[in-house]
Amino acid sequence: MTWVTGRLLCGWAPVQTSTKKTLAKPNVRNIVVVEGVRIPFLLSGTSYKDLMPHDLARAALSSLLIKTNVPKEVVDYIIFGTVIQEVKTSNVAREAALGAGFSDKTPAHTVTMACISANQAMTTGVGLIASGQSDVIVAGGVELMSDVPIRHSRKMRKMMLDLNKAKTLGQRLSLISKFRLNFLTPELPAVAEFSTSETMGHSADRLAASFAVSRLEQDEYALRSHRLAKKAQDEGLLSDVVPFKVPGKETVTKDNGIRPSSLEQMAKLKPAFVKPYGTVTAANSSFLTDGASAMLIMAEDKALAMGYKPKAYLRDFVYVSQDPKDQLLLGPTYATPKVLEKAGLTLKDIDAFEFHEAFSGQILANFKAMDSDWFAQNYMGRKAKVGSPPLEKFNNWGGSLSLGHPFGATGCRLVMAAANRLRKEGGQFGLVAACAAGGQGHAMIVETYPK
Amino acid sequence: MVASRAIGCLRRFANASRTLHHCSGYICRNFSRSSALLARSHINYGIKDDVAVIRINSPNSKVNTLNQELQSEFMEVMNEIWASDQVKSAVLISSKPGCFIAGADINMIAACKTPQEVTRLSQEGQKMFEKLENSPKPIVAAISGSCLGGGLELAISCQYRIATRDKKTVLGVPEVLLGILPGAGGTQRLPQMVGVPAAFDMMLTGRNIRADRAKKMGLVDQLVEPLGPGVKPPEERTIEYLEEIAVTFAKGLADKKISLKRSKGLMDKLTSYAMGIPFVRQQVYKKVEEQVRKQTKGLYPAPLKIIDVVKTGLEEGKDAGYLSESQKFGELAMTKESKALIGLYHGQVLCKKNKFGTPQREVKNIAVLGAGLMGAGIAQVSVDKGLKTILKDATLTGLSRGQQQVFKGLNDKVKKKTLTSFERDFIFNNLTGQLDYQSFEKADMVIEAVFEDINLKHKVLKEVEEVIGMHYFSPVDKMQLLEIITTPKTSKDTTASAVAVGLKQGKVIIVVKDGPGFYTTRCLAPMMSEVIRILQEGIGPKKLDSLTTGFGFPVGAATLVDEVGVDVAKHVAEDLGKAFGERFAGGSLELLKQMVSKGFLGRKSGKGFYVYKEGVKSKDLNSDMDSVLAGLQVSPKPEVSSDEDIQYRLVSRFVNEAALCLQEEILATPAEGDIGAVFGLGFPPCLGGPFRFVDLYGAQKIVDRLRRYEAAYGKQFTPCQLLIDQASAGKKFYQ
């Protein structure tokens, strides 16, 4: 019945704010974020290191249940993003949901799109609601970099599989006799592009060089991120963080990667990828992170009918993709003007920018690209540049560089940061943007829900 | 739509003329050396902090060439830098993205009349580079693009080298391919820098070394990754970035924050230890010399002199080494071999241009009919260069075999690490295999590599506008030559299109007029006829092979027949024999006929003159051929049967037919004739091709020889009118 009601109510509900017109469109359902949570993002190899990805996802999901009190039967669908898959739980969304107390009648699937996997989870949910298939969606993401699947070599795998099929002792012995010591060399998952074999850090260093971003600029930007994150943490602004009692360990309550240092300290670090003269270092890159996030998304009418006070609307979004070699991390540059155009906004209309910070160099290169008419004309087929976001509105509560970046989970954090900042700082529109491996990118407009 | 026909499957001499692959170490440019001495036209420099940045940018050229003007400007600048108190170090960089310095100006040598003059040139270069080597202010060579010959010699005189890891960045000393040696200190510095064995390898093969390999060898000190677009085009920003990095290193070197000492790997340490022992060195020289003698058969003087010069430097010291280098350089520059090789180089440059202009419509989609060895080969070199290619065959088996051939060709590049597996897949995706004529209407050009049902084809290819012949050589991915055949009906634009496609496929192109055998096959046929006669006269295949390779052919004549395929040889001999009659006679066709009937088709059937076994390299004579040869034996004519006469009987028939092709205007220029013969048929590169050979050997002497053989055998050796005219007028094909 809920479904039918949802459909019937889904008219255009004009909710005007004092300053600008809302982005609500006639005959399109308004979709809202009711609530979003994340367990603290931790440096990999710390408190979560003995857990499995679905443990983290489960923690986020059950916290969401508790925080929202949503009756589990009303959740129509669960979608999670993840990047480095644990092979035992390849549909991690389902494994986590089952354990988190959701109904076993609620289907769940897992999506992957590199660093914008959680964004993909959210927008998949938006699509389900907008098309009338669902009313209530849980979207989220998870990553556990403390443990990654390290495989036997292909030769070893082949031998083991053949051994399985061998029938006689003779066949087995003959297979075993072909064993060589180098079969034991393991295969590690690389944070490298499959198409170019280049690691992301290396590409980021080249990108920074392409846009002539200096080491100092990168260090300064990273320091800013850490300082702002520290401030936000201290002031209790990171309200999406929920405590997580780690089995057998203490309760984790805070992100542990926020470490404001000094420019002098940072200057001492050696380049991590392009040696010996590169500019990308451990201090101006995001670090390997464990974490999970989850979000309750509903059709506005449904949320209101259930008595919720939504936090924000999810509005227009775009996905973009470009050359994975030389423009790997320029997703935000391509996505920003496109999503603004779609929403009928300009950069000036945006009150809160939340961009994923993969590397300082990547953020600053994107700024320069967005501020370049030449780049817009020659590579994006646009008449003019979109402009660079004003720094005072940009990632004011820290970003991936300082808060951490669990690949599959970051997208929800970005949206929640935008929503919470708009509520706190009093703006109407937020712009979320992120780059992703494969040379892809995403941007979404978040509109604050009127108070 | 243009339909082209790939004709002939002459599986060519295996290794022929691959030597000339990349011989752009010397670049020929004519400079107006007028009054431009006041303003610097090749070099400008600016100062960044305390680093002088010297930028090389020769005007009106795609490449920088070390000519006298550039050299003197460079020394002028260096002297200023050395004298300046503000400058503590220097960076040397080119403003041209694809080229650091492509080599020394070949015309400087060509202008010299005596070895002494060339020696003097060499000594000037040596002195200049020695000054750089001893520079009190460190100089960093920032290399992007080709750094060859004199360019590399210059770079290795600097204190530090930084190169972009770009496919276009190659380092090498290709002088040997022009019959000379690195004459500006290269023979002395390279062994110090990369070790004796690697230095020999570089100098004796002339091979191009890519930047990453150069880094491993110790030829460059740092690599810089090419950049993508920023707020400027990628190439421009990459050069800028290279300069920035080079400046940082120059400062570091001047402040002694960066050490010049190179950390060597264990192998390098062992090698240099071993090379410190005189006995080991002697063994290395001996071994290298043996190898060179075996490969060059004494026909190429440059490699032996290179060994000699390196040896002198190592054993008798620097001064003796430099002196020897400059003297041998002078001597080599005057040799016929060098003139022949330089001639070929010029010819090759010529045949890499489209003299028919830019075609009206760029060819982007092609279709190849027939997925055999030839068709698939054509498809491979096409998809490789981004041409969307349909490969069509009549049967699925044939098509699959062809597709696999293309895949294997690309995959071999992955194994050699010149392609990534992703790039391979991307390129392979340009290939569409099919059994029908779907989408043929979209093809800009259809290349026919097999004869199919002509009616069906004509039905499908109604829209065929024009036909042009494209004669590829097998294996297509290895053989550089493409012979394009035009008829009076062929329009200029069609020719331009065919040439453009060929150039895209990486071919060296000659354009000839239509006639039986075109140019290449026609030249080869009389020589082949002579091969049969010589075998009939009782010279065994092994002896014949050694006589031909001893003359400079990369593959022996008997082996060649086996490689081409006896059936193909028979087919060609019959066809051209009918067309040209008496002149193409000599050997008895019966020999080939009997071989075909016995199934001795050459390598492809496992037996020909030799026996071929899978995986076995050395080959034995096919003893079953003894009776065949015995049955067809004729008695030799002692007056024209010395080893040398046998060699000249073969070559003179070839040369005479080539001249006839020029006389009959099948060929447009002697240069194309030389390129076609060397790159398509394996004519000895040291002779420079049939026309260069006549020039260097003397037209009169060739005519005399032909007359002598004519007296013994008749019309097959009658010299053509053009040769007679050249001889009597004392004219040369190349002025």
Side-chain angles (χ1 to χ4, degrees):
Chain A
M1 264 326 275
T2 45
W3 186 79
V4 177
T5 338
R7 285 286 292 256
L8 290 174
L9 286 175
C10 83
W12 176 44
V15 186
Q16 292 292 337
T17 56
S18 52
T19 49
K20 300 157 197 161
K21 72 170 193 336
T22 173
L23 290 179
K25 291 174 191 163
N27 305 321
V28 175
R29 294 180 99 182
N30 279 322
I31 294 160
V32 294
V33 175
V34 172
E35 185 60 273
V37 298
R38 63 183 177 93
I39 58 170
F41 287 178
L42 301 190
L43 296 156
S44 66
T46 59
S47 297
Y48 301 155
K49 69 176 177 186
D50 296 326
L51 302 180
M52 284 179 67
H54 71 284
D55 294 327
L56 306 192
R58 192 177 64 236
L61 281 171
S62 58
S63 297
L64 186 70
L65 271 184
I66 293 162
K67 198 163 178 181
T68 59
N69 254 322
V70 68
K72 61 182 181 181
E73 317 78 55
V74 306
V75 177
D76 295 317
Y77 208 95
I78 299 170
I79 311 158
F80 254 62
T82 197
V83 178
I84 310 274
Q85 287 199 344
E86 162 61 51
V87 285
K88 284 185 191 162
T89 56
S90 56
N91 187 1
V92 68
R94 178 66 174 161
E95 311 307 338
L98 283 174
F102 281 86
S103 163
D104 61 5
K105 304 287 186 297
T106 304
H109 83 261
T110 302
V111 293
T112 189
M113 199 174 181
C115 303
I116 49 179
S117 296
N119 308 73
Q120 187 54 262
M122 288 182 288
T123 55
T124 303
V126 168
L128 286 172
I129 297 172
S131 64
Q133 309 305 313
S134 308
D135 294 323
V136 180
I137 294 284
V138 169
V142 61
E143 206 69 41
L144 182 80
M145 292 305 289
S146 290
D147 181 32
V148 292
I150 296 172
R151 298 196 297 180
H152 267 301
S153 69
R154 183 78 187 248
K155 284 175 188 158
M156 187 70 190
R157 269 148 46 207
K158 187 166 182 293
M159 195 178 87
M160 289 158 93
L161 290 170
D162 287 348
L163 264 177
N164 241 353
K165 287 180 205 143
K167 294 207 170 59
T168 66
L169 183 66
Q171 283 175 342
R172 278 186 207 117
L173 285 176
S174 108
L175 273 170
I176 288 169
S177 72
K178 284 179 195 140
F179 174 80
R180 297 288 174 275
L181 215 55
N182 69 10
F183 284 19
L184 292 177
T185 318
E187 261 177 33
L188 285 103
V191 191
E193 282 298 298
F194 181 76
S195 61
T196 62
S197 314
E198 188 180 24
T199 63
M200 194 177 272
H202 196 277
S203 190
D205 203 312
R206 287 197 305 115
L207 184 72
S210 295
F211 285 93
V213 178
S214 73
R215 166 77 182 266
L216 181 64
E217 285 174 280
Q218 294 179 45
D219 284 353
E220 279 171 353
Y221 182 83
L223 188 57
R224 171 190 188 269
S225 178
H226 279 276
R227 283 187 177 150
L228 291 176
K230 180 84 170 85
K231 186 160 174 281
Q233 193 178 55
D234 290 349
E235 291 173 6
L237 299 174
L238 305 176
S239 57
D240 55 337
V241 178
V242 290
F244 176 22
K245 168 69 181 75
V246 180
K249 287 193 177 135
E250 78 287 11
T251 300
V252 180
T253 58
K254 287 197 297 187
D255 303 324
N256 72 357
I258 307 172
R259 285 186 285 192
S261 157
S262 68
L263 285 177
E264 295 71 37
Q265 285 295 323
M266 292 168 89
K268 283 183 190 159
L269 284 180
K270 286 193 172 147
F273 302 99
V274 175
K275 295 162 186 173
Y277 54 82
T279 52
V280 173
T281 69
N284 59 36
S285 314
S286 57
F287 47 87
L288 295 181
T289 312
D290 301 337
S293 55
M295 185 187 271
L296 183 60
I297 304 173
M298 290 191 190
E300 182 186 26
D301 43 20
K302 178 75 180 177
L304 295 177
M306 290 181 71
Y308 284 114
K309 178 77 185 151
K311 291 201 153 179
Y313 292 107
L314 297 182
R315 297 301 194 190
D316 292 290
F317 63 86
V318 295
Y319 287 92
V320 293
S321 59
Q322 63 284 337
D323 169 21
K325 170 85 182 152
D326 289 332
Q327 303 181 36
L328 181 68
L329 305 173
L330 285 182
T333 299
Y334 282 84
T336 299
K338 222 172 154 182
V339 79
L340 287 173
E341 223 164 66
K342 212 170 169 199
L345 298 175
T346 68
L347 211 60
K348 287 198 194 80
D349 297 320
I350 304 297
D351 305 297
F353 292 88
E354 280 296 328
F355 277 35
H356 162 49
E357 299 167 343
F359 302 87
S360 283
Q362 165 257 333
I363 286 289
L364 297 171
N366 272 285
F367 284 178
K368 296 200 181 191
M370 292 163 85
D371 207 25
S372 162
D373 281 327
W374 185 88
F375 189 86
Q377 286 155 5
N378 289 282
Y379 282 87
M380 296 167 66
R382 305 188 69 86
K383 286 203 182 76
K385 66 187 184 183
V386 63
S388 161
L391 209 53
E392 65 276 11
K393 292 180 184 171
F394 192 87
N395 291 10
N396 287 3
W397 295 356
S400 298
L401 286 171
S402 45
L403 301 169
H405 171 42
F407 303 145
T410 290
C412 290
R413 178 191 67 73
L414 293 172
V415 170
M416 287 320 295
N420 289 335
R421 272 180 60 198
L422 289 172
R423 290 166 70 82
K424 183 83 187 169
E425 294 166 355
Q428 188 184 356
F429 295 117
L431 171 64
V432 167
C435 59
Q440 311 212 73
H442 165 77
M444 187 197 266
I445 303 288
V446 176
E447 182 181 348
T448 196
Y449 200 84
K451 283 178 183 162
Chain B
M1 201 188 318
V2 176
S4 312
R5 184 168 295 177
I7 313 145
C9 311
L10 283 180
R11 205 189 132 75
R12 218 262 310 123
F13 302 125
N15 286 316
S17 62
R18 225 172 286 161
T19 44
L20 278 154
H21 218 88
H22 288 294
C23 68
S24 44
Y26 275 70
I27 297 298
C28 174
R29 289 192 57 233
N30 291 306
F31 278 98
S32 50
R33 301 198 52 230
S34 53
S35 59
L37 286 168
L38 295 172
R40 288 193 200 107
S41 53
H42 298 263
I43 286 181
N44 68 68
Y45 84 104
I47 295 174
K48 273 191 178 175
D49 300 330
D50 54 9
V51 183
V53 179
I54 309 163
R55 300 188 185 91
I56 314 168
N57 195 2
S58 291
N60 314 319
S61 169
K62 275 191 202 159
V63 295
N64 295 317
T65 318
L66 271 185
N67 54 23
Q68 246 144 14
E69 207 173 322
L70 190 151
Q71 286 178 21
S72 66
E73 284 185 17
F74 177 59
M75 281 323 280
E76 218 175 272
V77 166
M78 282 316 299
N79 286 329
E80 275 180 39
I81 288 168
W82 282 321
S84 162
D85 293 335
Q86 289 170 27
V87 177
K88 290 197 180 128
S89 59
V91 165
L92 183 58
I93 192 167
S94 157
S95 303
K96 301 187 195 292
C99 176
F100 176 69
I101 295 174
D105 183 2
I106 212 167
N107 286 349
M108 287 197 309
I109 304 170
C112 295
K113 297 274 178 278
T114 65
Q116 289 74 26
E117 279 177 70
V118 184
T119 298
R120 219 167 300 132
L121 273 182
S122 160
Q123 282 167 339
E124 279 164 26
Q126 289 176 345
K127 262 183 221 139
M128 174 168 102
F129 291 167
E130 197 169 16
K131 268 195 193 163
L132 294 185
E133 188 176 36
N134 298 328
S135 167
K137 299 175 181 179
I139 309 166
V140 177
I143 302 161
S144 188
S146 47
C147 173
L148 299 171
L152 183 61
E153 292 182 278
L154 169 60
I156 60 174
S157 310
C158 296
Q159 279 67 39
Y160 208 76
R161 281 150 298 283
I162 303 178
T164 51
R165 195 210 298 266
D166 192 291
K167 278 186 179 164
K168 281 184 186 159
T169 300
V170 287
L171 299 92
V173 273
E175 283 86 345
V176 69
L177 302 177
L178 300 176
I180 46 180
L181 53 74
T187 63
Q188 307 302 301
R189 279 190 195 95
L190 268 181
Q192 309 290 344
M193 184 153 279
V194 298
V196 179
F200 271 137
D201 179 66
M202 284 179 71
M203 288 189 279
L204 296 176
T205 62
R207 79 173 85 225
N208 279 349
I209 293 167
R210 293 202 343 213
D212 41 1
R213 173 105 191 83
K215 169 82 165 44
K216 280 191 197 126
M217 289 170 66
L219 200 55
V220 302
D221 301 285
Q222 295 292 342
L223 293 178
V224 164
E225 297 295 329
L227 301 180
V231 295
K232 286 176 189 169
E235 303 77 29
E236 202 180 316
R237 177 59 196 147
T238 300
I239 289 274
E240 224 176 64
Y241 179 54
L242 172 66
E243 185 181 304
E244 288 164 17
I245 302 296
V247 166
T248 318
F249 277 91
K251 281 183 191 164
L253 288 166
D255 301 344
K256 307 241 174 329
K257 279 184 189 148
I258 294 164
S259 156
L260 278 176
K261 225 173 156 195
R262 289 172 187 95
S263 54
K264 284 186 174 173
L266 182 65
M267 270 314 285
D268 292 335
K269 278 182 191 158
L270 282 175
T271 314
S272 65
Y273 170 74
M275 291 309 293
I277 308 166
F279 172 75
V280 175
R281 282 205 304 275
Q282 295 305 330
Q283 289 303 310
V284 170
Y285 302 143
K286 217 176 107 190
K287 187 89 202 139
V288 175
E289 220 174 284
E290 262 171 34
Q291 227 174 335
V292 164
R293 277 189 202 284
K294 205 174 136 201
Q295 280 177 4
T296 63
K297 311 216 185 292
L299 296 169
Y300 296 82
L304 290 172
K305 297 234 158 140
I306 289 172
I307 299 172
D308 203 31
V309 170
V310 170
K311 200 159 126 184
T312 308
L314 288 173
E315 303 304 322
E316 294 166 39
K318 217 166 79 176
D319 292 344
Y322 279 120
L323 185 65
S324 168
E325 180 185 272
S326 60
Q327 284 173 346
K328 298 280 190 308
F329 185 66
E331 291 164 24
L332 283 172
M334 293 294 134
T335 57
K336 279 183 186 170
E337 289 80 2
S338 171
K339 292 194 161 49
L341 291 169
I342 289 176
L344 273 178
Y345 169 68
H346 286 306
Q348 197 192 15
V349 170
L350 217 66
C351 294
K352 280 268 183 195
K353 286 182 185 148
N354 194 343
K355 58 183 171 185
F356 300 88
T358 312
Q360 278 165 21
R361 190 174 55 169
E362 191 192 347
V363 173
K364 287 176 183 157
N365 301 293
I366 67 164
V368 180
L369 290 177
L373 205 61
M374 179 71 80
I378 296 169
Q380 187 193 326
V381 297
S382 305
V383 292
D384 206 5
K385 300 299 180 324
L387 288 168
K388 288 265 173 204
T389 305
I390 295 173
L391 184 62
K392 191 232 170 273
D393 202 89
T395 68
L396 190 60
T397 329
L399 179 63
S400 304
R401 197 218 60 83
Q403 286 170 310
Q404 182 57 32
Q405 184 189 327
V406 177
F407 182 83
K408 187 178 176 297
L410 296 171
N411 200 41
D412 287 347
K413 291 190 180 180
V414 174
K415 285 184 190 155
K416 281 189 209 147
K417 294 191 176 164
T418 55
L419 275 188
T420 67
S421 58
F422 181 84
E423 286 166 330
R424 172 200 64 202
D425 300 343
F426 191 81
I427 293 168
F428 190 63
N429 204 38
N430 286 331
L431 186 75
T432 314
Q434 58 192 51
L435 298 172
D436 54 20
Y437 288 92
Q438 196 196 331
S439 301
F440 264 55
E441 70 279 0
K442 286 185 198 136
D444 303 305
M445 184 179 272
V446 177
I447 300 179
E448 180 193 321
V450 78
F451 296 98
E452 286 191 8
D453 182 350
I454 218 92
N455 291 326
L456 171 65
K457 198 162 57 199
H458 283 178
K459 219 159 56 186
V460 175
L461 305 181
K462 280 194 293 279
E463 291 169 57
V464 171
E465 283 151 17
E466 279 195 67
V467 179
I468 188 167
M470 294 171 85
H471 180 189
Y472 289 87
F473 294 75
S474 196
V476 181
D477 59 322
K478 300 264 163 28
M479 296 293 300
Q480 280 182 281
L481 190 71
L482 169 62
E483 185 178 27
I484 289 180
I485 299 106
T486 61
T487 68
K489 286 183 196 154
T490 315
S491 74
K492 194 180 155 205
D493 190 55
T494 300
T495 314
S497 272
V499 174
V501 167
L503 288 177
K504 204 169 207 178
Q505 292 167 333
K507 297 292 166 198
V508 179
I509 297 165
I510 62 171
V511 179
V512 304
K513 282 195 187 145
D514 195 16
F518 322 124
Y519 166 66
T520 49
T521 315
R522 181 172 159 183
C523 286
L524 195 60
M527 187 172 109
M528 281 299 149
S529 173
E530 199 60 23
V531 164
I532 294 169
R533 169 154 52 201
I534 289 164
L535 288 166
Q536 285 179 280
E537 286 179 356
I539 303 284
K542 277 204 167 160
K543 166 95 179 174
L544 178 59
D545 274 355
S546 90
L547 284 176
T548 31
T549 55
F551 200 74
F553 283 93
V555 172
T559 305
L560 177 67
V561 178
D562 276 2
E563 293 287 341
V564 168
V566 178
D567 50 341
V568 176
K570 172 183 154 271
H571 179 73
V572 169
E574 278 172 347
D575 277 8
L576 294 186
K578 268 181 217 147
F580 294 105
E582 180 66 9
R583 198 170 75 242
F584 277 48
S588 166
L589 245 177
E590 195 51 35
L591 177 65
L592 298 177
K593 281 185 184 158
Q594 288 189 20
M595 286 178 80
V596 172
S597 72
K598 284 185 189 290
F600 301 155
L601 302 183
R603 179 182 285 278
K604 61 184 165 193
S605 70
K607 271 183 184 179
F609 290 108
Y610 295 95
V611 179
Y612 300 89
K613 284 187 205 125
E614 192 84 29
V616 182
K617 247 193 163 179
S618 66
K619 51 191 186 194
D620 295 318
L621 279 173
N622 177 6
S623 52
D624 297 338
M625 278 301 295
D626 294 350
S627 60
V628 179
L629 285 168
L632 295 166
Q633 196 159 12
V634 296
S635 49
K637 297 182 190 287
E639 71 276 19
V640 288
S641 291
S642 71
D643 283 358
E644 197 193 59
D645 277 327
I646 285 173
Q647 291 172 326
Y648 273 94
R649 273 162 56 191
L650 292 167
V651 173
S652 62
R653 285 190 74 175
F654 188 117
V655 168
N656 194 30
E657 198 60 34
L660 206 52
C661 286
L662 186 63
Q663 182 184 314
E664 292 175 4
E665 292 178 352
I666 292 284
L667 276 176
T669 60
E672 284 172 290
D674 282 345
I675 292 296
V678 172
F679 286 81
L681 306 170
F683 193 90
C686 58
L687 306 179
F691 297 98
R692 180 75 58 183
F693 172 63
V694 171
D695 277 4
L696 292 171
Y697 185 79
Q700 189 59 56
K701 276 161 87 180
I702 294 281
V703 171
D704 291 347
R705 277 205 184 261
L706 281 164
R707 290 283 187 218
R708 195 152 68 79
Y709 302 143
E710 186 188 21
Y713 292 110
K715 273 189 181 172
Q716 293 119 36
F717 286 98
T718 310
C720 69
Q721 196 54 44
L722 181 63
L723 276 182
I724 296 171
D725 293 349
Q726 293 280 111
S728 59
K731 272 200 342 205
K732 291 195 167 183
F733 290 111
Y734 294 93
Q735 292 312 317

